[in-house]
Amino acid sequence: MSASNSFVVGQCTRVRDTVFMKARAQSVDGSMRDLTHTSQNEFPPDGEIELRGARATLKQDDWAIARPVLDGPPRRQRWVSQTARKLLPFEDLSGLAGPEAARRLLVESGLQDGYTGEKIFRIGAEKMIMVTMVRSEDGRCRATSADMRRLPVYDFDPTKVLTIPTPGGSVSLMEKNHQSAETGVANWIGDAQYVEQIVRGALAVEDADQKATAAVAATLLAHADRLAGQLSGSGEPDPKVAQEILRSRRLGDLLASRPALIAEFMNALRRDPNIAARIEQEIARLTAETVEAKRAELTAQLSESLEAELAGLRRDRTSKLEAELSDLEASSLQELQQKIDSQTNSALSTLEVRKAGLDRAVAELEKTRDALHESHRLKGEEIEALSNDVGRLTSEVADRKADLDRLLRMEELLRSSGERSKAADDGPSFPLAIVSPSARPLPLGEIADWLTASQLLTDAGRRGVARLAALMLGGGVPVVDGPEADDVLDILSSMLAGGAMTSFDCDPTVISYDDLWRRPGAGASTQAGLALSDVQKTGAIRLCAIRRAELAPSGFWIETLRRAARRRSVPKELLLCVTRAGDGEEEASKDPSAFRAEGWIELNAGAQALASVVDEAFPRVVDVSSLPFDPPAALSAIGVPPLRLSISDARWLAQFAPVAKAILKGEATPFLKEILEAESGNAKPALKLIDNGGPSRA
């Protein structure tokens, strides 16, 4: 619908608050094509177009023309036309024998097509009319208008006729508001009405000399009524009746143009003896009727005068009787009023006494009511205070009970932990994972190549795993969360420790740094403690993952663990990593040592892992025997002016900076900058308390 000369023609299907049009044909560059079976494709989804602002001009099944455009937000667009114009059916009757033939067809004979409503007809080479077709009693449809005596006639323009192709044949339509010039008016009333018009014009004459013309007009009127009755019947009009109508019309025209003809005819009639005798008889009859009418008029006048005299006498007698009755009523009413006044005074005095007593009783009741209201208010305040105390005491009791239950559970947990520790010391310990026999050494500079060749990680995963490896090998303890954290740890263990990974799951008993290595109570070694002992004894590389850190009561031990790793209080062969669940991306992004593993693992990572089991190049052991120590690299990372760092952090940076550059290559500088800015800003670890038994009020 981009062309300016394109438009759509259709029929209205739904007319409620908004009008919808079903597309039937479309004109593009002057070519009209049928859309009966393809409208859903051209104007999806149902082939309809919304016509805005056309509610007052269009109704169901009306034809309309519109220029639709797409309107609305993406994925919810629909075809809408801001304007629409009504189209009327068009029929060409210019082939008939002139406008009179068209009038007889549309007004007298009628059409059998069954169409009712507005329609445009061409009645000449350059003339057309617009009428309303209505169904008559005989089943035919005939033309009508507001004033058939002055039916407007318009200029006809063939370019304004639209021929719409349909599966059943073409349909001719024309715009209702065609803006054609009105060239004149036509008198299209029926033949019988035409004769009646002439006859009634003759009857309206009031001149006494033209009474004969009125008599002839009355005769023509009666004849026109009979013709109208014959024309209103069903079927084709009788040719004889049509001839009679034409004859009556000619007589009416003659009557209107030659009034002297009727006067000559009347003079000839008066000279005839029979007619003269007939006139004398009529005069005698009219005279007798006039005498009778005069007698009736005099009788009515006398009766009226007598009735007036009787009415006057009746009024006089009535006034006298009313005066006498008024005197009697006045005397009786005076006596009655005196009795009523005395009884009223007695009753009022009694009521005043009773009212005074009732007022005193009401005053006493109001005082009692006010006292009761005040008492009720005080009691209500006491009840409210007692209710608040009860609620507060109930809450305190519940809190104290919760504290006791929590302490009892903690005591039971410590007792059972001590018993398990003793049993563990008495029996064998769980074995630790060992390095894969096929694992080969992996220098620091080849870690990036190993990650590039890995089919398990996405691009984001390769960058994240590289940063994790740089932190762990450089003496850092990264924190990993997210749904793919465990898979990332498996990949790190295969890349750095040959698959040797020890997991330690936190619980509420892990409170301090020492609880990572030994169980509270009996002091049995944890899995992390066993891994530390194994590394100290054998010197083998091992990845230790401290999982579910959010289950511990606080996170202070994470900072202590990081400090121990940076100062190499923990062997460098023990690669440490902390995982947790439930932290959002916003919280994790505040710490550059915290990573969210989400979108790091390829969708087919499981199948690739199965294929990597037999791959000797997959399990590798990183070479930490000669980790670089490069103070100049640390100084260049600090920058000018230098960042504020502690002495221990500066020493740690000297071993972390070269490791990061060896693993991260060109991405090492921004990563180092993030770590250094976080350390110089004195970032504190988040404190997160675990409360399984309600709030503590101890």
Side-chain angles (χ1 to χ4, degrees), residues 550 552-556 687-691:
E550 76 278 359
S554 69
F556 289 119
L687 176 62
K688 183 176 181 181
L689 298 179
I690 303 298
D691 190 358

Side-chain angles (χ1 to χ4, degrees), residues 3 126 188 236 256 294 404 461 612:
E126 299 178 353
W188 272 37
E236 295 292 334
K294 189 65 175 177
L404 290 175
S612 301

Side-chain angles (χ1 to χ4, degrees), residues 163-444:
T163 302
I164 310 302
T166 64
S170 61
V171 177
S172 296
L173 301 174
M174 196 171 187
E175 185 180 345
K176 179 179 180 181
N177 299 325
H178 40 70
Q179 304 298 329
S180 297
E182 182 178 342
T183 60
V185 294
N187 186 355
W188 272 37
I189 61 175
D191 291 341
Q193 293 177 341
Y194 185 76
V195 174
E196 181 180 357
Q197 180 180 0
I198 297 175
V199 171
R200 293 195 181 277
L203 286 175
V205 176
E206 298 181 356
D207 190 356
D209 295 336
Q210 296 184 6
K211 293 298 183 180
T213 302
V216 176
T219 304
L220 289 176
L221 178 61
H223 185 61
D225 292 338
R226 290 195 300 274
L227 292 177
Q230 295 178 13
L231 288 176
S232 62
S234 61
E236 295 292 334
D238 190 353
K240 296 181 179 180
V241 176
Q243 293 176 3
E244 290 293 329
I245 293 174
L246 293 176
R247 184 180 303 169
S248 297
R249 181 176 296 176
R250 287 194 298 271
L251 289 175
D253 293 338
L254 183 62
L255 179 64
S257 62
R258 298 179 61 185
L261 181 63
I262 300 300
E264 295 175 359
F265 175 71
M266 294 304 298
N267 292 330
L269 288 178
R270 289 191 185 97
R271 288 193 295 270
D272 186 270
N274 295 329
I275 297 300
R278 179 67 176 173
I279 291 174
E280 292 295 334
Q281 292 177 1
E282 288 297 323
I283 291 173
R285 184 179 61 80
L286 292 175
T287 303
E289 291 178 356
T290 303
V291 171
E292 291 296 330
K294 189 65 175 177
R295 183 183 293 109
E297 182 181 357
L298 293 174
T299 303
Q301 291 178 355
L302 292 174
S303 300
E304 184 179 356
S305 63
L306 290 175
E307 289 178 359
E309 292 179 0
L310 290 174
L313 293 174
R314 190 180 293 110
R315 285 194 298 271
D316 295 339
R317 296 293 302 274
T318 302
S319 61
K320 291 180 180 179
L321 291 174
E322 288 177 354
E324 293 177 358
L325 288 174
S326 298
D327 295 338
L328 292 174
E329 289 177 356
S331 59
S332 301
L333 286 174
Q334 186 177 3
E335 294 177 359
L336 183 60
Q337 186 65 36
Q338 292 175 355
K339 292 181 180 179
I340 291 174
D341 291 340
S342 61
Q343 293 178 359
T344 300
N345 293 332
S346 176
L348 286 175
S349 57
T350 304
L351 290 175
E352 288 292 336
V353 174
R354 295 185 61 186
K355 180 177 179 296
L358 290 175
D359 289 340
R360 288 192 296 271
V362 168
E364 295 294 332
L365 290 175
E366 288 179 350
K367 291 180 181 179
T368 305
R369 181 198 62 191
D370 294 339
L372 290 175
H373 281 324
E374 182 65 19
S375 176
H376 181 269
R377 186 183 64 79
L378 296 175
K379 295 296 183 183
E381 292 178 354
E382 293 179 1
I383 292 173
E384 184 178 359
L386 291 175
S387 299
N388 294 334
D389 293 339
V390 169
R392 180 174 54 79
L393 292 175
T394 302
S395 177
E396 291 181 359
V397 169
D399 293 343
R400 296 295 180 267
K401 183 178 181 301
D403 293 340
L404 290 175
D405 292 342
R406 185 166 61 257
L407 292 174
L408 290 175
R409 286 196 302 271
M410 184 63 73
E411 182 181 1
E412 182 66 24
L413 182 62
L414 293 174
R415 185 184 299 111
S416 61
S417 177
E419 293 175 356
R420 287 197 303 271
S421 299
K422 292 179 180 179
D425 291 340
D426 295 340
S429 61
F430 291 101
L432 299 176
I434 61 176
V435 177
S436 174
S438 61
R440 295 187 291 108
L442 179 66
L444 292 178

Side-chain angles (χ1 to χ4, degrees), residues 301-633:
Q301 291 178 355
L302 292 174
S303 300
E304 184 179 356
S305 63
L306 290 175
E307 289 178 359
E309 292 179 0
L310 290 174
L313 293 174
R314 190 180 293 110
R315 285 194 298 271
D316 295 339
R317 296 293 302 274
T318 302
S319 61
K320 291 180 180 179
L321 291 174
E322 288 177 354
E324 293 177 358
L325 288 174
S326 298
D327 295 338
L328 292 174
E329 289 177 356
S331 59
S332 301
L333 286 174
Q334 186 177 3
E335 294 177 359
L336 183 60
Q337 186 65 36
Q338 292 175 355
K339 292 181 180 179
I340 291 174
D341 291 340
S342 61
Q343 293 178 359
T344 300
N345 293 332
S346 176
L348 286 175
S349 57
T350 304
L351 290 175
E352 288 292 336
V353 174
R354 295 185 61 186
K355 180 177 179 296
L358 290 175
D359 289 340
R360 288 192 296 271
V362 168
E364 295 294 332
L365 290 175
E366 288 179 350
K367 291 180 181 179
T368 305
R369 181 198 62 191
D370 294 339
L372 290 175
H373 281 324
E374 182 65 19
S375 176
H376 181 269
R377 186 183 64 79
L378 296 175
K379 295 296 183 183
E381 292 178 354
E382 293 179 1
I383 292 173
E384 184 178 359
L386 291 175
S387 299
N388 294 334
D389 293 339
V390 169
R392 180 174 54 79
L393 292 175
T394 302
S395 177
E396 291 181 359
V397 169
D399 293 343
R400 296 295 180 267
K401 183 178 181 301
D403 293 340
L404 290 175
D405 292 342
R406 185 166 61 257
L407 292 174
L408 290 175
R409 286 196 302 271
M410 184 63 73
E411 182 181 1
E412 182 66 24
L413 182 62
L414 293 174
R415 185 184 299 111
S416 61
S417 177
E419 293 175 356
R420 287 197 303 271
S421 299
K422 292 179 180 179
D425 291 340
D426 295 340
S429 61
F430 291 101
L432 299 176
I434 61 176
V435 177
S436 174
S438 61
R440 295 187 291 108
L442 179 66
L444 292 178
E446 296 181 5
I447 291 179
D449 299 334
W450 190 95
L451 291 173
T452 302
S454 176
Q455 301 296 322
L456 305 180
L457 297 169
T458 62
D459 292 340
R462 293 186 181 93
R463 289 193 298 270
V465 172
R467 292 190 174 194
L468 287 173
L471 274 175
M472 288 190 292
L473 292 173
V477 182
V479 179
V480 185
D481 61 5
E484 299 173 352
D486 292 337
D487 293 336
V488 171
L489 292 180
D490 289 337
I491 294 175
L492 284 170
S493 67
S494 299
M495 180 179 69
L496 303 177
M501 182 178 67
T502 300
S503 297
F504 171 66
D505 292 338
C506 294
D507 55 42
T509 62
V510 178
I511 300 175
S512 65
Y513 170 74
D514 295 335
D515 296 334
L516 297 174
W517 318 107
R518 292 187 177 278
R519 293 289 183 185
S525 297
T526 63
Q527 287 294 106
L530 295 175
L532 177 61
S533 299
D534 180 73
V535 170
Q536 290 174 341
K537 292 177 182 179
T538 63
I541 297 295
R542 181 173 296 279
L543 176 62
C544 182
I546 302 174
R547 302 175 69 255
R548 302 301 299 275
E550 76 278 359
L551 297 179
S554 69
F556 289 119
W557 54 267
I558 296 179
E559 185 64 24
T560 305
L561 182 62
R562 285 177 174 174
R563 188 182 306 109
R566 292 176 182 177
R567 296 181 178 181
R568 293 305 185 186
S569 299
V570 179
K572 61 183 177 180
E573 291 81 7
L574 185 63
L575 307 179
L576 296 172
C577 183
V578 178
T579 67
R580 60 189 175 191
D583 291 337
E585 296 183 9
E586 181 179 358
E587 180 181 354
S589 63
K590 296 178 181 179
D591 185 4
S593 299
F595 300 84
R596 181 167 182 81
E598 185 173 2
W600 290 14
I601 306 299
E602 289 286 355
L603 297 178
N604 58 348
Q608 293 292 336
L610 290 176
S612 301
V613 172
V614 297
D615 186 4
E616 295 182 356
F618 183 70
R620 306 294 291 272
V621 177
V622 69
D623 185 9
V624 297
S625 59
S626 59
L627 288 176
F629 188 82
D630 192 355

Side-chain angles (χ1 to χ4, degrees), residues 63-92:
W63 287 88
I65 180 173
R67 298 180 185 272
V69 295
L70 282 174
D71 185 29
R75 298 186 180 180
R76 296 179 60 187
Q77 289 185 333
R78 56 181 178 178
W79 289 96
V80 175
S81 178
Q82 299 297 335
T83 59
R85 299 188 299 275
K86 184 176 180 180
L87 297 177
L88 297 180
F90 172 79
E91 186 173 350
D92 192 349

